[in-house]
């Protein structure tokens, strides 16, 4: 399936990129498309992530914290 922004319905993530993580929130390795989200650095190793269409807050991208070496976690 496709995960969409709760505010505007913009497509964000594919269920194919979802994986189990110790956090209580869904975790993804990549966005559906390059323009699915907007990012800005919040602190080293973590980017603030918002919807690429409406700017709704989506949490963070944690660099190099995915299931495989070099992957990010959304």
């Amino acid at each position: 399936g496709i995960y969409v922004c709760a505010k505007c319905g913009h497509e964000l993530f594919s269920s194919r990129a979802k994986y189990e993580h110790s956090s209580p929130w869904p975790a993804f390795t990549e966005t559906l498309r390059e323009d699915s989200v907007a990012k800005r650095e919040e602190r080293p190793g973590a980017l603030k992530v918002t919807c690429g269409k409406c700017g709704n807050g989506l949490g963070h991208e944690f660099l190099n914290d995915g299931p495989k070496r070099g992957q990010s976690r959304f």
Side-chain angles (χ1 to χ4, degrees):
I2 302 295
Y3 289 79
V4 299
C5 175
K7 188 173 181 180
C8 74
H10 187 61
E11 295 182 341
L12 305 170
F13 303 100
S14 168
S15 60
R16 293 181 183 159
K18 186 178 179 183
Y19 71 99
E20 291 295 321
H21 187 267
S22 61
S23 72
W25 300 280
F28 302 91
T29 56
E30 62 188 8
T31 60
L32 191 60
R33 293 186 305 271
E34 192 172 319
D35 69 345
S36 292
V37 302
K39 308 173 195 179
R40 67 174 169 79
E41 187 171 16
E42 186 170 77
R43 62 182 187 271
L47 306 174
K48 184 72 174 168
V49 178
T50 58
C51 173
K53 184 175 180 182
C54 73
N56 188 36
L58 301 173
H60 294 86
E61 176 182 1
F62 297 98
L63 306 176
N64 299 309
D65 192 39
K68 295 180 184 172
R69 185 181 177 123
Q71 282 185 321
S72 291
R73 172 175 56 95
F74 290 86

